[in-house]
Amino acid sequence: QTVSFGIFITNKGDVREDNIQLRQVIGVGENWPLTLSRDSVSLDPGESTNFTVFVTIPDDAPGSVPGLFQVAAFSSVDPTVRANMQLTVIPATAIDIIMSASPEQLSVKPGDTATYTIQITNHGNLPSAVKIDVSAQKPTSFPGWLASLDRNTVYLRGSETTTVTLQVYVAPGAIADTRLELVVSGFSANYAAEGRVTVTTLVQRIKDLQFSVSSPPPVKVGRAVSYDLTITNAGNGDESLDLYKDYTPTGWTMDFLDGPAAISNVFVGHGEAKTIQVRVGVSSDAVAGTHYPTVRLQDRFGGSHQVVLTTAVEQFFAVSITASEFKLDGSPGTRVEYALQVTNEG
């Protein structure tokens, strides 16, 4: 800031004074520039005039510490004749608390701790240290979460900077994508000055899907068999899964049911389990033994999960004999031959 002084000068002698020199004779230093609107004046006896003195206060000038200046007028005829004017500039006291966070946002897993560095700067000009009380919001609406600062009080002079550490503990059962914004504030009670900064903590998604399948008895060919497929979501976020037939032997079918309704998608909330039915139709020409039709479950993040439905096709025995002719004529002592066809129908 620049302040100005209006100075009046009078020729109290009885002769005219030409080229009266005006200049600064005392100053604070080059950081406090002083300029005059005129560097000389000429006055008749008893005549007066004025000029202006400008003083620029530096940004880092200590508050309430006066700057002293002296401006003098010199006679050009007799240099011993001079007049002095002392000027005093007192910078106003100020405190400006500036706060920033590094980083401003973190994404952490449940049960982990997010650590933030909070920088506090006193942009004021007080020459003595200022007490600044630092506090962080408490995450009361987030059960199990904690927020703590390593210091709750700092002392800073003008233009000084320090840091404090904020730690935010995320509850073990925190839900995925939960967003917690905390305000950290610094307050100087003596000067009613405050600074604040906001940090954001996000909860990472932990995926943990578990699958179990019932074991039905062997199935006969041409029949259908149903499996109970239980999906357990042990992660911390809800899951929506699309259902697909990944593999079946040729001629087999696969359908997905929730009760009597056919479905193509299933929703499982975090910490929950859901059971659906998978109905597998066995072809009429299926070979006896174990087969492995497979279900594919696709989540909304592109993850793919395969579940094998081990299917035992029941073995049965069936033999048939047919003949092209059932009655032939023959003479005594001769042989009659029949062509028989034996078929394995198992």
Side-chain angles (χ1 to χ4, degrees), residues 37-85:
S37 62
R38 305 164 71 177
D39 57 8
S40 67
V41 296
S42 297
L43 296 174
D44 290 326
E47 184 181 5
S48 299
T49 190
N50 69 294
F51 63 94
T52 305
V53 177
F54 301 93
V55 179
T56 300
I57 304 172
D59 293 336
D60 58 352
S64 300
V65 178
L68 302 178
F69 304 87
Q70 192 175 96
V71 177
F74 296 89
S75 170
S76 60
V77 178
D78 183 0
T80 63
V81 177
R82 60 183 285 181
N84 300 312
M85 173 62 70

Short mmCIF file of all heavy atoms in Angstrom, two decimals, residues 37-85:
data_model
loop_
_atom_site.label_atom_id
_atom_site.label_comp_id
_atom_site.label_asym_id
_atom_site.label_seq_id
_atom_site.Cartn_x
_atom_site.Cartn_y
_atom_site.Cartn_z
N SER A 37 6.57 14.71 -5.00
CA SER A 37 5.91 15.19 -6.22
C SER A 37 6.70 16.33 -6.87
O SER A 37 6.56 16.58 -8.07
CB SER A 37 4.49 15.67 -5.89
OG SER A 37 4.52 16.76 -4.98
N ARG A 38 7.54 17.02 -6.10
CA ARG A 38 8.40 18.11 -6.63
C ARG A 38 9.76 18.00 -5.96
O ARG A 38 9.86 17.60 -4.81
CB ARG A 38 7.79 19.47 -6.35
CG ARG A 38 6.36 19.61 -6.87
CD ARG A 38 5.61 20.79 -6.28
NE ARG A 38 6.11 22.05 -6.77
CZ ARG A 38 5.58 23.25 -6.44
NH1 ARG A 38 4.54 23.29 -5.60
NH2 ARG A 38 6.07 24.37 -6.90
N ASP A 39 10.82 18.35 -6.70
CA ASP A 39 12.15 18.34 -6.09
C ASP A 39 12.69 19.72 -5.79
O ASP A 39 13.77 19.86 -5.19
CB ASP A 39 13.14 17.57 -6.97
CG ASP A 39 13.22 18.15 -8.38
OD1 ASP A 39 12.63 19.23 -8.62
OD2 ASP A 39 13.86 17.52 -9.24
N SER A 40 11.94 20.76 -6.17
CA SER A 40 12.35 22.14 -5.85
C SER A 40 11.15 23.06 -6.00
O SER A 40 10.20 22.75 -6.73
CB SER A 40 13.50 22.60 -6.74
OG SER A 40 13.06 22.71 -8.09
N VAL A 41 11.19 24.19 -5.29
CA VAL A 41 10.16 25.24 -5.39
C VAL A 41 10.84 26.60 -5.33
O VAL A 41 11.98 26.73 -4.86
CB VAL A 41 9.13 25.12 -4.25
CG1 VAL A 41 8.35 23.82 -4.34
CG2 VAL A 41 9.78 25.26 -2.88
N SER A 42 10.15 27.65 -5.78
CA SER A 42 10.62 29.04 -5.69
C SER A 42 9.53 29.85 -5.03
O SER A 42 8.35 29.75 -5.41
CB SER A 42 10.94 29.60 -7.08
OG SER A 42 12.00 28.88 -7.69
N LEU A 43 9.89 30.61 -4.01
CA LEU A 43 8.90 31.33 -3.22
C LEU A 43 9.33 32.77 -2.99
O LEU A 43 10.50 33.06 -2.69
CB LEU A 43 8.72 30.63 -1.87
CG LEU A 43 8.15 29.21 -1.88
CD1 LEU A 43 8.18 28.64 -0.47
CD2 LEU A 43 6.73 29.17 -2.43
N ASP A 44 8.36 33.70 -3.10
CA ASP A 44 8.57 35.10 -2.70
C ASP A 44 8.47 35.18 -1.18
O ASP A 44 7.98 34.24 -0.53
CB ASP A 44 7.51 36.00 -3.35
CG ASP A 44 7.72 36.14 -4.86
OD1 ASP A 44 8.90 36.14 -5.28
OD2 ASP A 44 6.70 36.21 -5.59
N PRO A 45 8.92 36.28 -0.57
CA PRO A 45 8.80 36.44 0.89
C PRO A 45 7.35 36.26 1.33
O PRO A 45 6.43 36.82 0.74
CB PRO A 45 9.31 37.84 1.14
CG PRO A 45 10.22 38.13 -0.01
CD PRO A 45 9.63 37.44 -1.19
N GLY A 46 7.14 35.43 2.31
CA GLY A 46 5.80 35.20 2.86
C GLY A 46 4.94 34.27 2.02
O GLY A 46 3.81 33.94 2.41
N GLU A 47 5.42 33.82 0.88
CA GLU A 47 4.62 32.96 0.01
C GLU A 47 4.71 31.50 0.47
O GLU A 47 5.74 31.06 0.99
CB GLU A 47 5.10 33.07 -1.43
CG GLU A 47 4.24 32.29 -2.42
CD GLU A 47 4.77 32.39 -3.85
OE1 GLU A 47 5.83 32.98 -4.08
OE2 GLU A 47 4.10 31.83 -4.74
N SER A 48 3.63 30.78 0.27
CA SER A 48 3.57 29.35 0.63
C SER A 48 3.14 28.52 -0.58
O SER A 48 2.47 29.03 -1.49
CB SER A 48 2.57 29.12 1.77
OG SER A 48 2.94 29.81 2.93
N THR A 49 3.52 27.27 -0.55
CA THR A 49 3.07 26.30 -1.55
C THR A 49 3.07 24.92 -0.90
O THR A 49 3.36 24.79 0.30
CB THR A 49 3.96 26.32 -2.80
OG1 THR A 49 3.33 25.52 -3.81
CG2 THR A 49 5.34 25.73 -2.51
N ASN A 50 2.70 23.92 -1.65
CA ASN A 50 2.67 22.56 -1.09
C ASN A 50 3.22 21.55 -2.08
O ASN A 50 3.30 21.80 -3.28
CB ASN A 50 1.25 22.17 -0.67
CG ASN A 50 0.34 21.98 -1.87
OD1 ASN A 50 0.05 22.94 -2.59
ND2 ASN A 50 -0.11 20.75 -2.08
N PHE A 51 3.61 20.40 -1.56
CA PHE A 51 4.02 19.26 -2.37
C PHE A 51 3.59 17.99 -1.63
O PHE A 51 3.18 18.05 -0.47
CB PHE A 51 5.54 19.29 -2.66
CG PHE A 51 6.39 19.19 -1.43
CD1 PHE A 51 6.87 17.95 -0.99
CD2 PHE A 51 6.72 20.33 -0.70
CE1 PHE A 51 7.67 17.87 0.14
CE2 PHE A 51 7.51 20.24 0.44
CZ PHE A 51 7.99 19.01 0.86
N THR A 52 3.69 16.87 -2.31
CA THR A 52 3.21 15.59 -1.74
C THR A 52 4.36 14.61 -1.62
O THR A 52 5.20 14.50 -2.52
CB THR A 52 2.10 14.97 -2.62
OG1 THR A 52 1.05 15.94 -2.79
CG2 THR A 52 1.54 13.70 -1.99
N VAL A 53 4.36 13.91 -0.50
CA VAL A 53 5.33 12.85 -0.26
C VAL A 53 4.59 11.51 -0.29
O VAL A 53 3.57 11.35 0.40
CB VAL A 53 6.05 13.04 1.09
CG1 VAL A 53 7.01 11.88 1.35
CG2 VAL A 53 6.79 14.37 1.12
N PHE A 54 5.12 10.57 -1.08
CA PHE A 54 4.52 9.25 -1.19
C PHE A 54 5.46 8.21 -0.57
O PHE A 54 6.65 8.19 -0.88
CB PHE A 54 4.27 8.87 -2.65
CG PHE A 54 3.35 9.83 -3.37
CD1 PHE A 54 3.89 10.89 -4.10
CD2 PHE A 54 1.98 9.68 -3.31
CE1 PHE A 54 3.06 11.77 -4.77
CE2 PHE A 54 1.15 10.57 -3.98
CZ PHE A 54 1.68 11.62 -4.71
N VAL A 55 4.90 7.34 0.28
CA VAL A 55 5.67 6.26 0.90
C VAL A 55 4.94 4.94 0.62
O VAL A 55 3.75 4.82 0.92
CB VAL A 55 5.83 6.46 2.41
CG1 VAL A 55 6.62 5.29 3.01
CG2 VAL A 55 6.52 7.78 2.73
N THR A 56 5.68 3.97 0.04
CA THR A 56 5.12 2.65 -0.24
C THR A 56 5.52 1.68 0.86
O THR A 56 6.71 1.48 1.13
CB THR A 56 5.60 2.13 -1.60
OG1 THR A 56 5.18 3.04 -2.62
CG2 THR A 56 5.01 0.74 -1.89
N ILE A 57 4.52 1.07 1.48
CA ILE A 57 4.77 0.12 2.57
C ILE A 57 5.04 -1.26 1.95
O ILE A 57 4.22 -1.75 1.16
CB ILE A 57 3.56 0.04 3.52
CG1 ILE A 57 3.23 1.43 4.07
CG2 ILE A 57 3.83 -0.95 4.65
CD1 ILE A 57 1.94 1.47 4.87
N PRO A 58 6.14 -1.89 2.25
CA PRO A 58 6.42 -3.22 1.67
C PRO A 58 5.44 -4.27 2.20
O PRO A 58 4.87 -4.13 3.29
CB PRO A 58 7.86 -3.51 2.11
CG PRO A 58 8.07 -2.67 3.31
CD PRO A 58 7.25 -1.43 3.12
N ASP A 59 5.29 -5.36 1.42
CA ASP A 59 4.35 -6.42 1.80
C ASP A 59 4.73 -7.10 3.09
O ASP A 59 3.87 -7.57 3.83
CB ASP A 59 4.27 -7.47 0.68
CG ASP A 59 3.64 -6.90 -0.58
OD1 ASP A 59 2.88 -5.92 -0.47
OD2 ASP A 59 3.93 -7.44 -1.67
N ASP A 60 6.03 -7.16 3.38
CA ASP A 60 6.47 -7.88 4.58
C ASP A 60 6.77 -6.95 5.75
O ASP A 60 7.47 -7.33 6.69
CB ASP A 60 7.70 -8.72 4.27
CG ASP A 60 8.86 -7.86 3.73
OD1 ASP A 60 8.64 -6.66 3.46
OD2 ASP A 60 9.97 -8.41 3.57
N ALA A 61 6.23 -5.75 5.70
CA ALA A 61 6.48 -4.81 6.80
C ALA A 61 5.82 -5.31 8.08
O ALA A 61 4.64 -5.65 8.08
CB ALA A 61 5.94 -3.43 6.45
N PRO A 62 6.57 -5.39 9.19
CA PRO A 62 5.97 -5.84 10.45
C PRO A 62 4.86 -4.90 10.90
O PRO A 62 4.98 -3.67 10.82
CB PRO A 62 7.15 -5.82 11.43
CG PRO A 62 8.37 -5.84 10.57
CD PRO A 62 8.01 -5.09 9.32
N GLY A 63 3.77 -5.46 11.40
CA GLY A 63 2.67 -4.64 11.87
C GLY A 63 3.02 -3.86 13.12
O GLY A 63 3.75 -4.34 13.99
N SER A 64 2.51 -2.65 13.21
CA SER A 64 2.65 -1.76 14.37
C SER A 64 4.10 -1.31 14.62
O SER A 64 4.38 -0.70 15.64
CB SER A 64 2.12 -2.44 15.65
OG SER A 64 0.75 -2.76 15.49
N VAL A 65 5.00 -1.60 13.70
CA VAL A 65 6.39 -1.13 13.83
C VAL A 65 6.53 0.11 12.95
O VAL A 65 6.45 0.01 11.72
CB VAL A 65 7.39 -2.22 13.40
CG1 VAL A 65 8.82 -1.69 13.49
CG2 VAL A 65 7.23 -3.45 14.27
N PRO A 66 6.75 1.30 13.54
CA PRO A 66 6.74 2.53 12.75
C PRO A 66 7.95 2.65 11.84
O PRO A 66 9.05 2.22 12.16
CB PRO A 66 6.74 3.63 13.82
CG PRO A 66 7.35 3.01 15.01
CD PRO A 66 6.96 1.57 14.99
N GLY A 67 7.69 3.25 10.68
CA GLY A 67 8.76 3.64 9.77
C GLY A 67 8.93 5.15 9.84
O GLY A 67 7.96 5.90 9.65
N LEU A 68 10.14 5.61 10.13
CA LEU A 68 10.40 7.04 10.34
C LEU A 68 11.13 7.62 9.12
O LEU A 68 12.09 7.03 8.62
CB LEU A 68 11.24 7.25 11.60
CG LEU A 68 10.63 6.70 12.91
CD1 LEU A 68 11.57 6.93 14.07
CD2 LEU A 68 9.28 7.35 13.17
N PHE A 69 10.66 8.79 8.70
CA PHE A 69 11.24 9.46 7.53
C PHE A 69 11.42 10.95 7.88
O PHE A 69 10.71 11.50 8.74
CB PHE A 69 10.33 9.33 6.30
CG PHE A 69 10.01 7.90 5.94
CD1 PHE A 69 8.93 7.25 6.53
CD2 PHE A 69 10.79 7.22 5.03
CE1 PHE A 69 8.63 5.95 6.20
CE2 PHE A 69 10.50 5.91 4.71
CZ PHE A 69 9.42 5.27 5.29
N GLN A 70 12.33 11.58 7.19
CA GLN A 70 12.51 13.03 7.33
C GLN A 70 12.74 13.63 5.96
O GLN A 70 13.56 13.15 5.18
CB GLN A 70 13.68 13.37 8.26
CG GLN A 70 13.70 14.84 8.66
CD GLN A 70 14.77 15.14 9.67
OE1 GLN A 70 15.88 15.57 9.30
NE2 GLN A 70 14.47 14.92 10.95
N VAL A 71 11.98 14.67 5.68
CA VAL A 71 12.10 15.41 4.43
C VAL A 71 12.56 16.83 4.78
O VAL A 71 12.07 17.43 5.74
CB VAL A 71 10.75 15.44 3.68
CG1 VAL A 71 10.87 16.28 2.42
CG2 VAL A 71 10.29 14.03 3.36
N ALA A 72 13.50 17.35 4.01
CA ALA A 72 14.07 18.68 4.31
C ALA A 72 13.99 19.58 3.08
O ALA A 72 14.02 19.10 1.94
CB ALA A 72 15.51 18.56 4.78
N ALA A 73 13.88 20.91 3.35
CA ALA A 73 13.94 21.94 2.32
C ALA A 73 15.20 22.76 2.55
O ALA A 73 15.42 23.26 3.66
CB ALA A 73 12.68 22.81 2.36
N PHE A 74 16.06 22.95 1.51
CA PHE A 74 17.34 23.65 1.64
C PHE A 74 17.32 24.93 0.80
O PHE A 74 16.91 24.90 -0.38
CB PHE A 74 18.49 22.75 1.16
CG PHE A 74 18.69 21.52 2.00
CD1 PHE A 74 18.02 20.34 1.71
CD2 PHE A 74 19.55 21.54 3.08
CE1 PHE A 74 18.20 19.20 2.48
CE2 PHE A 74 19.75 20.40 3.85
CZ PHE A 74 19.08 19.24 3.56
N SER A 75 17.82 26.00 1.41
CA SER A 75 17.97 27.25 0.66
C SER A 75 19.13 27.11 -0.32
O SER A 75 20.21 26.64 0.03
CB SER A 75 18.24 28.42 1.61
OG SER A 75 18.61 29.58 0.88
N SER A 76 18.89 27.53 -1.55
CA SER A 76 19.96 27.47 -2.55
C SER A 76 20.98 28.58 -2.37
O SER A 76 22.09 28.50 -2.89
CB SER A 76 19.35 27.53 -3.95
OG SER A 76 18.63 28.75 -4.12
N VAL A 77 20.59 29.64 -1.61
CA VAL A 77 21.52 30.76 -1.37
C VAL A 77 22.39 30.48 -0.17
O VAL A 77 23.63 30.64 -0.20
CB VAL A 77 20.74 32.07 -1.17
CG1 VAL A 77 21.70 33.23 -0.86
CG2 VAL A 77 19.88 32.38 -2.39
N ASP A 78 21.78 29.99 0.91
CA ASP A 78 22.51 29.70 2.13
C ASP A 78 22.16 28.29 2.57
O ASP A 78 21.11 28.05 3.17
CB ASP A 78 22.15 30.71 3.23
CG ASP A 78 22.95 30.49 4.52
OD1 ASP A 78 23.77 29.56 4.55
OD2 ASP A 78 22.71 31.26 5.48
N PRO A 79 23.03 27.29 2.24
CA PRO A 79 22.71 25.89 2.56
C PRO A 79 22.51 25.62 4.03
O PRO A 79 21.97 24.56 4.39
CB PRO A 79 23.93 25.13 2.02
CG PRO A 79 24.52 26.03 0.99
CD PRO A 79 24.29 27.43 1.49
N THR A 80 22.94 26.52 4.91
CA THR A 80 22.73 26.29 6.34
C THR A 80 21.29 26.56 6.74
O THR A 80 20.87 26.22 7.85
CB THR A 80 23.67 27.16 7.17
OG1 THR A 80 23.37 28.56 6.93
CG2 THR A 80 25.12 26.87 6.83
N VAL A 81 20.56 27.17 5.86
CA VAL A 81 19.15 27.46 6.14
C VAL A 81 18.33 26.29 5.59
O VAL A 81 18.36 26.01 4.39
CB VAL A 81 18.71 28.78 5.49
CG1 VAL A 81 17.21 29.01 5.74
CG2 VAL A 81 19.53 29.94 6.01
N ARG A 82 17.65 25.64 6.48
CA ARG A 82 16.85 24.48 6.08
C ARG A 82 15.65 24.32 7.01
O ARG A 82 15.63 24.86 8.12
CB ARG A 82 17.69 23.20 6.12
CG ARG A 82 18.26 22.89 7.49
CD ARG A 82 19.15 21.66 7.49
NE ARG A 82 18.37 20.42 7.41
CZ ARG A 82 18.91 19.21 7.41
NH1 ARG A 82 20.24 19.08 7.45
NH2 ARG A 82 18.15 18.14 7.37
N ALA A 83 14.67 23.59 6.56
CA ALA A 83 13.49 23.24 7.36
C ALA A 83 13.28 21.74 7.23
O ALA A 83 13.45 21.16 6.15
CB ALA A 83 12.27 24.00 6.89
N ASN A 84 12.94 21.07 8.34
CA ASN A 84 12.78 19.62 8.37
C ASN A 84 11.33 19.24 8.72
O ASN A 84 10.67 19.93 9.50
CB ASN A 84 13.71 18.99 9.40
CG ASN A 84 15.16 19.27 9.10
OD1 ASN A 84 15.62 19.11 7.98
ND2 ASN A 84 15.92 19.70 10.12
N MET A 85 10.90 18.17 8.13
CA MET A 85 9.58 17.62 8.45
C MET A 85 9.73 16.11 8.67
O MET A 85 10.22 15.40 7.80
CB MET A 85 8.58 17.85 7.31
CG MET A 85 7.23 17.15 7.48
SD MET A 85 6.31 17.73 8.95
CE MET A 85 5.88 19.40 8.42
#
